[in-house]
Amino acid sequence: MIKLIALLSPLSINLYGAIFLFATATKQFKNRFFLGLFLANSFILFLGHFLSFYEYWKIFQYFDFLFLGAILAFYPLYYLYIYSAFNFNIIPIKWIYHFTPSIIIAALMLIVTSLVSWENYIEYMNNNLYASELTSSSSKILAYLYKGTRYFHLVQIIGYNFLTIRFILRAHQEMNNSFSNLDKYQLRYFYVVNISFILFMSIPGFYVTLIGRTPLNTNDYLLLSSCILFSLLYLIIAIIGIRQIPVAIDLKTMVPKNEAGKEQLYEFNELEKELYLYFSNEKPWLVPNLNIWEVAKHLGTNRSYISNVINEKVGCNFNQFVNNYRIKEAKLLLKQTPNKTITEISELAGFGSVNSFIRIFKKVEKCTPSEYRKKIL
């Protein structure tokens, strides 16, 4: 009973999660499609465990190639989902090499399972789940394919975790350099949840992959604890994925100040003056959804130059630069209009929401807007 509950938990979450994400995916929310693929792949993994642990081996023999392919597609699909969350164009030809190991191992397993006898396959499964001895060459080949898949998956865990975390951190930096209001995209939770997902999925995942299926098959409580953890992680990542709004960013490397020529440095100095003049006279920061492309368009330059000027010469990112103006406006309003509510002050100062206003104000001023008002009045 424990084993059944353990296996059905991630199975149901991945199945219903994938169906819902596929059903709600659109061109605007293409990240849901790729997250749906990831959950569907995870469903295949846990269905394989279910069939093997409950000894539906006659069915599993023809499912085994999908199971091994799904193991090696797990982290590439997750990386693909993270990539899609920032609205990049997914070009199948460029991404195919990420799934080449999965395709190759699935094809090899399909060929071998089609050729081996049923007796040899039973011998392989008994070794896989109960650590019994292998005697035939056919069963040994099957075991080598399975163990080779596991070992390569261990390498994938390390490699793709590095790639994914690096991408998320770069994307976070670029978002701060592009948008003045991040709450619209719920990115604060997106980063925290996905990095947590990577860490909490990878550590037990590495352990489970390393020890194989025998300990899980013979220890119901180890299986239950692993499945409960994975189920919670899948549920959280599905909820955040549904709420996440994809947004286009550009991760092209910007020109550092120390690599710019004299003429470019002169342009940067002039651009800095124009930027301050524009913000003082036009007050674009009063627009809640102001982004760096709109500022660049007004100043007749490109977003990379604006970003470089703010990063190198002002010493902050675009998000901080704009919100500093909003904080100054809010402080002035708090002093001059004591009858206005904090929500009204937030809107008048250009913040996207009262929650972001309070959070940013407290971070800058070390107190809440209400506390600040009490101090000055």
Side-chain angles (χ1 to χ4, degrees):
M1 187 64 180
I2 293 175
K3 184 182 291 186
L4 181 63
I5 294 172
L7 291 171
L8 287 181
S9 176
L11 265 175
S12 57
I13 289 174
N14 280 303
L15 176 61
Y16 291 121
I19 292 172
F20 183 84
L21 286 161
F22 285 142
T24 59
T26 61
K27 188 175 182 180
Q28 180 186 359
F29 293 98
K30 64 182 180 181
N31 59 318
R32 294 183 184 180
F33 173 78
F34 291 104
L35 181 56
L37 283 179
F38 173 71
L39 293 183
N41 185 80
S42 298
F43 173 78
I44 291 173
L45 285 176
F46 284 98
L47 180 58
H49 287 310
F50 178 85
L51 293 174
S52 59
F53 287 173
Y54 276 91
E55 300 191 5
Y56 294 111
W57 294 349
K58 198 70 178 177
I59 300 173
F60 188 68
Q61 183 178 8
Y62 301 99
F63 187 83
D64 210 342
F65 78 101
L66 288 176
F67 175 74
L68 292 192
I71 291 175
L72 297 188
F74 183 88
Y75 280 100
L77 279 171
Y78 184 70
Y79 185 50
L80 183 61
Y81 156 62
I82 295 295
Y83 196 83
S84 71
F86 294 95
N87 224 19
F88 288 112
N89 290 324
I90 308 298
I91 304 174
I93 295 175
K94 290 185 178 181
W95 278 89
I96 194 67
Y97 70 90
H98 286 278
F99 300 97
T100 301
S102 173
I103 295 169
I104 291 174
I105 198 68
L108 288 174
M109 196 64 176
L110 179 61
I111 293 169
V112 175
T113 52
S114 300
L115 296 176
V116 301
S117 66
W118 173 237
E119 290 74 19
N120 288 335
Y121 191 79
I122 292 177
E123 184 177 295
Y124 154 69
M125 289 303 297
N126 277 311
N127 169 264
N128 198 319
L129 294 172
Y130 303 107
S132 62
E133 187 179 353
L134 294 170
T135 58
S136 68
S137 58
S138 297
S139 60
K140 288 179 181 178
I141 292 172
L142 288 168
Y144 291 148
L145 284 173
Y146 172 64
K147 289 180 180 178
T149 301
R150 283 169 47 202
Y151 295 146
F152 190 82
H153 184 61
L154 293 176
V155 176
Q156 281 187 320
I157 291 174
I158 297 171
Y160 277 97
N161 281 353
F162 170 76
L163 289 174
T164 305
I165 292 174
R166 185 183 67 170
F167 179 84
I168 288 174
L169 294 177
R170 288 181 65 199
H172 179 263
Q173 180 183 11
E174 191 60 25
M175 289 299 301
N176 279 290
N177 279 324
S178 302
F179 296 93
S180 65
N181 174 25
L182 298 180
D183 283 2
K184 176 183 177 182
Y185 308 105
Q186 299 156 357
L187 292 169
R188 191 160 55 99
Y189 301 103
F190 177 83
Y191 298 130
V192 172
V193 166
N194 278 283
I195 291 179
S196 299
F197 178 86
I198 292 167
L199 296 177
F200 287 111
M201 178 64 76
S202 299
I203 295 171
F206 193 94
Y207 173 72
V208 169
T209 303
L210 190 63
I211 64 175
R213 283 189 283 187
T214 301
L216 294 172
N217 186 49
T218 54
N219 187 332
D220 287 350
Y221 292 101
L222 176 61
L223 178 65
L224 179 63
S225 59
S226 299
C227 286
I228 288 175
L229 174 61
F230 293 151
S231 297
L232 288 173
L233 291 172
Y234 284 123
L235 182 61
I236 293 170
I237 201 70
I239 292 171
I240 293 299
I242 291 167
R243 296 182 63 196
Q244 171 69 13
I245 301 174
V247 58
I249 61 172
D250 183 8
L251 292 179
K252 293 180 180 178
T253 305
M254 294 178 293
V255 182
K257 182 181 176 181
N258 57 5
E259 292 183 12
K262 290 183 179 180
E263 291 184 3
Q264 196 169 58
L265 287 176
Y266 174 77
E267 291 178 9
F268 283 0
N269 289 333
E270 292 300 311
L271 187 56
E272 182 185 13
K273 295 176 183 177
E274 292 178 16
L275 179 65
Y276 279 120
L277 190 63
Y278 171 50
F279 268 69
S280 297
N281 294 339
E282 302 295 330
K283 297 186 177 182
W285 33 272
L286 293 177
V287 178
N289 294 324
L290 179 70
N291 61 57
I292 199 167
W293 292 276
E294 292 169 359
V295 175
K297 182 179 179 181
H298 181 88
L299 297 179
T301 185
N302 62 64
R303 57 92 53 214
S304 295
Y305 274 23
I306 295 292
S307 187
N308 270 286
V309 166
I310 295 174
N311 292 166
E312 299 291 342
K313 299 188 73 62
V314 182
C316 62
N317 57 51
F318 178 76
N319 181 266
Q320 293 168 331
F321 180 76
V322 175
N323 283 326
N324 284 337
Y325 278 91
R326 290 172 176 164
I327 292 295
K328 291 177 182 178
E329 179 72 13
K331 288 165 66 176
L332 188 63
L333 290 168
L334 286 167
K335 183 178 180 180
Q336 294 180 348
T337 57
N339 294 327
K340 290 192 179 297
T341 65
I342 298 301
T343 300
E344 289 173 322
I345 297 293
S346 170
E347 294 173 355
L348 291 171
F351 285 96
S353 70
V354 67
N355 289 332
S356 64
F357 169 48
I358 294 171
R359 186 181 69 253
I360 295 168
F361 192 96
K362 189 174 182 179
K363 183 178 181 180
V364 175
E365 297 296 328
K366 311 303 179 188
C367 64
T368 65
S370 298
E371 291 169 344
Y372 180 84
R373 174 178 268 171
K374 290 178 182 178
K375 288 180 184 179
I376 61 175
L377 294 179

